[in-house]
Amino acid sequence: MSSPISERYSSKARWFHWVMAALIVLAYVLILSRSQFARGSELRMFVVQTHYWVGILVLALAFFRVAERRRHTPPGITPPLEGILRLAATLSHYLLYAFLFAQPLLGLFTVLIEKGSLPIPLTQLLIPSPFPMSDQFAEKLEDLHKLLGYVFYYVIGLHVVAAIWHHFVRKDNTVKRMV
């Protein structure tokens, strides 16, 4: 006797979704708030270093999130999406997953190549870089990291608007699957 397919994502998938959403908001808040503190101040350094580590946590959780998604087939949308809507949903999810990996990796490589090490907040400890230092290459990585961060304001915004549209206009179960 086969068990019925759940109408919701697994509890782990929902946990990963909401924790990672909160961490991404935190990463944006941290990096955008750094200008509130004097250059070179300990508080500014703490905010920036915390941004680094939130990004690393997002990257680590992304691997587990993908593994969880592969272990459990996502529940279907009722009524099902067809044509361009299905394509748009698939594309936007691939973009979001790509962001979960690319953005933290770009940030990590930027720090390692620019600074030569990764600082551990609230300590004097540094994780040495396996890469040679290069201000020029680090600047290019940082520019790409910033550009991707700006682009993903829109992708994340689209994700939120699409969830609202699914719930209030299309009246399907898209949001209910993730809460």
Side-chain angles (χ1 to χ4, degrees):
M1 181 167 118
S2 65
S3 61
I5 296 174
S6 174
E7 291 185 17
R8 294 173 73 195
Y9 281 91
S10 71
S11 60
K12 284 182 189 175
R14 293 190 316 269
W15 184 87
F16 282 125
H17 178 273
W18 293 110
V19 167
M20 291 177 79
L23 288 171
I24 290 165
V25 168
L26 178 59
Y28 274 112
V29 167
L30 286 165
I31 206 61
L32 293 173
S33 69
R34 77 185 182 280
S35 63
Q36 301 302 308
F37 309 102
R39 284 189 179 270
S41 71
E42 286 191 28
L43 197 49
R44 183 178 176 129
M45 190 180 323
F46 175 75
V47 166
V48 171
Q49 289 176 0
T50 303
H51 170 80
Y52 302 158
W53 284 96
V54 168
I56 290 168
L57 183 55
V58 166
L59 178 62
L61 289 175
F63 287 100
F64 292 103
R65 183 172 181 175
V66 168
E68 179 64 16
R69 178 149 179 141
R70 292 185 54 81
R71 282 180 29 144
H72 299 282
T73 303
I77 296 175
T78 306
L81 296 177
E82 295 182 13
I84 193 78
L85 288 178
R86 184 173 182 82
L87 178 63
T90 301
L91 179 61
S92 67
H93 277 95
Y94 279 125
L95 286 172
L96 287 166
Y97 277 100
F99 171 75
L100 295 177
F101 289 97
Q103 190 66 341
L105 283 171
L106 283 168
L108 178 61
F109 291 146
T110 298
V111 172
L112 291 173
I113 292 169
E114 179 184 23
K115 308 279 187 207
S117 61
L118 183 66
I120 299 176
L122 303 175
T123 74
Q124 298 299 316
L125 299 175
L126 301 171
I127 298 171
S129 173
F131 309 109
M133 290 176 60
S134 169
D135 287 339
Q136 188 177 22
F137 186 54
E139 188 175 328
K140 288 179 182 180
L141 289 175
E142 185 176 17
D143 289 345
L144 187 56
H145 181 70
K146 287 178 182 177
L147 175 63
L148 193 58
Y150 293 132
V151 167
F152 272 89
Y153 279 128
Y154 297 101
V155 174
I156 292 165
L158 177 64
H159 182 69
V160 171
V161 168
I164 292 167
W165 178 80
H166 276 278
H167 190 72
F168 291 106
V169 177
R170 194 165 188 271
K171 299 185 187 300
D172 62 25
N173 67 336
T174 298
V175 172
K176 292 175 187 171
R177 297 177 319 150
M178 193 49 80
V179 292

